[in-house]
Amino acid sequence: MSTGGAYGRPPEETGDAGGAAHGRTAPGPFPAPCHVHGPDGPWEEVQERVEQAGRAVVHTTWGQWLTAALLDPGLRTLLGRDWPRYRQHPAPSGRLILAVSRIVLKHTAAAALQVPAERLDLAYLPGGRPVLRGLGADLRVSLAHTDELIVVGVSRTGPVGVDAEPAGRAISFEALRDHVCTGEEARLLEALPEEERTEMFLRLWTLKEAYAKALGHGMRRRFSAVGFAWEATGAARLTGDGAGAWAFATHLVEGRFLVTEAHHRDAAPPAPGGARQAPSAGDARRPPVAGAPHGAQVIGFPGRGPGRR
């Protein structure tokens, strides 16, 4: 099988420097993540995406939120059950990242539900998957962070998973091949030049991380048991039973981070904070939200490596 056909070398498109640097871009099933500067937003695009498509992904940096978060008199209420972890965390930097990432998650969920962030109760399943309890329990959430980047995915239409990784992170294909790759994926990667193999292996890792997080499995799932194939456009698709209900996209954010999202559509979205509703005829005709804010763009080559949560 041709490696070019399997992983795809889509036609190059004019775009920002990030796309040109990698030399491969392709349209994906989702718009690029929204950039949100702080607790005050802007949140309008997040709300619009959730209303139209039932899902949204946000990216920001913890430094952009740090001052507002620490000076918020309601910090303890916002952190909720994460407050003891925040107070007891042994490392100051880890404590700050924990606080900011949870606050970003709550504010993103609040924008999706159009309710105050302090009214949301964030909890965790045994594997560490974040969930909302009570108000907003129908909203699925996912969180990832790497270096200074924080990414949050929210969905009212089914499981969602997000993962992020520095685009230039060097990971060893030889050391991790058997853990990450199916036999077919390994053969395709082995046939590529080393630099391209590293890029594709990194994206493949992020795809499997995002998928596992959407399922709630995290690192407990054996990645080599999950297979991906590549369209001629460079878009990734899951193989095996039930693959058709899943959609994936990888974006280059800030010109230096890979952000991958996985989404399973299993229901019509509920109204914000309320019961499920079927899309109206007007909604069906409404065009999808477009654009690639803050230098983000969809890319058509594989991403996530060992690092952080």
Side-chain angles (χ1 to χ4, degrees), residues 160-163 205-215 260-262:
V160 61
V162 294
D163 195 62
W205 185 294
T206 65
L207 283 163
K208 296 193 177 188
E209 283 272 17
Y211 175 61
K213 290 166 74 172
L215 294 176
T260 292
E261 54 182 304

Side-chain angles (χ1 to χ4, degrees), residues 34 37 43 46 91 96 143 195 206 211 225 236 269 274 293 306:
C34 301
H37 307 283
W43 295 108
V46 175
L96 296 177
L143 171 68
E195 182 178 355
T206 65
Y211 175 61

Side-chain angles (χ1 to χ4, degrees), residues 20-255:
H22 290 286
R24 292 180 294 279
T25 63
F30 308 143
C34 301
H35 178 235
V36 178
H37 307 283
D40 293 330
W43 295 108
E44 291 80 5
E45 187 169 6
V46 175
Q47 293 169 351
E48 184 179 1
R49 291 187 184 189
V50 172
E51 288 173 357
Q52 291 186 10
R55 62 177 184 260
V57 174
V58 161
H59 76 91
T60 189
T61 60
W62 69 273
Q64 291 177 299
W65 285 64
L66 182 60
T67 300
L70 294 183
L71 295 181
D72 191 331
L75 178 62
R76 181 168 186 167
T77 301
L78 268 175
L79 288 181
R81 65 187 72 222
D82 279 312
W83 178 255
R85 293 179 59 198
Y86 167 72
R87 294 286 292 173
Q88 297 164 15
H89 200 291
S93 60
R95 185 161 59 247
L96 296 177
I97 292 173
L98 185 152
V100 173
S101 63
R102 272 55 178 186
I103 291 172
V104 174
L105 191 157
K106 276 200 173 182
H107 275 277
T108 304
L113 295 166
Q114 300 182 35
V115 300
E118 60 270 16
R119 292 184 60 191
L120 299 180
D121 180 18
L122 182 65
Y124 303 91
L125 297 180
R129 179 181 183 177
V131 294
L132 293 173
R133 295 183 181 274
L135 177 67
D138 284 338
L139 187 75
R140 312 292 184 90
V141 297
S142 184
L143 171 68
H145 55 83
T146 182
D147 294 349
E148 71 267 31
L149 187 75
I150 296 173
V151 180
V152 172
V154 295
S155 172
R156 293 192 288 115
T157 61
V160 61
V162 294
D163 195 62
E165 189 68 38
R169 184 181 293 277
I171 59 174
S172 173
F173 170 68
E174 289 74 19
L176 295 172
R177 172 180 52 201
D178 294 341
H179 170 68
V180 176
C181 299
T182 64
E184 180 68 10
E185 290 166 345
R187 285 189 292 273
L188 292 170
L189 287 169
E190 286 167 351
L192 298 176
E194 183 176 357
E195 182 178 355
E196 187 173 356
R197 181 190 307 131
T198 299
E199 290 179 348
M200 291 189 168
F201 186 53
L202 188 62
R203 182 184 170 206
L204 184 63
W205 185 294
T206 65
L207 283 163
K208 296 193 177 188
E209 283 272 17
Y211 175 61
K213 290 166 74 172
L215 294 176
H217 295 164
M219 291 293 289
R220 296 173 296 161
R221 187 176 183 89
R222 189 164 59 91
F223 285 0
S224 60
V226 179
F228 281 87
W230 308 92
E231 308 289 357
T233 61
R237 61 177 175 83
L238 189 67
T239 61
D241 295 339
W246 287 91
F248 303 85
T250 299
H251 313 270
L252 185 66
V253 170
E254 303 280 358

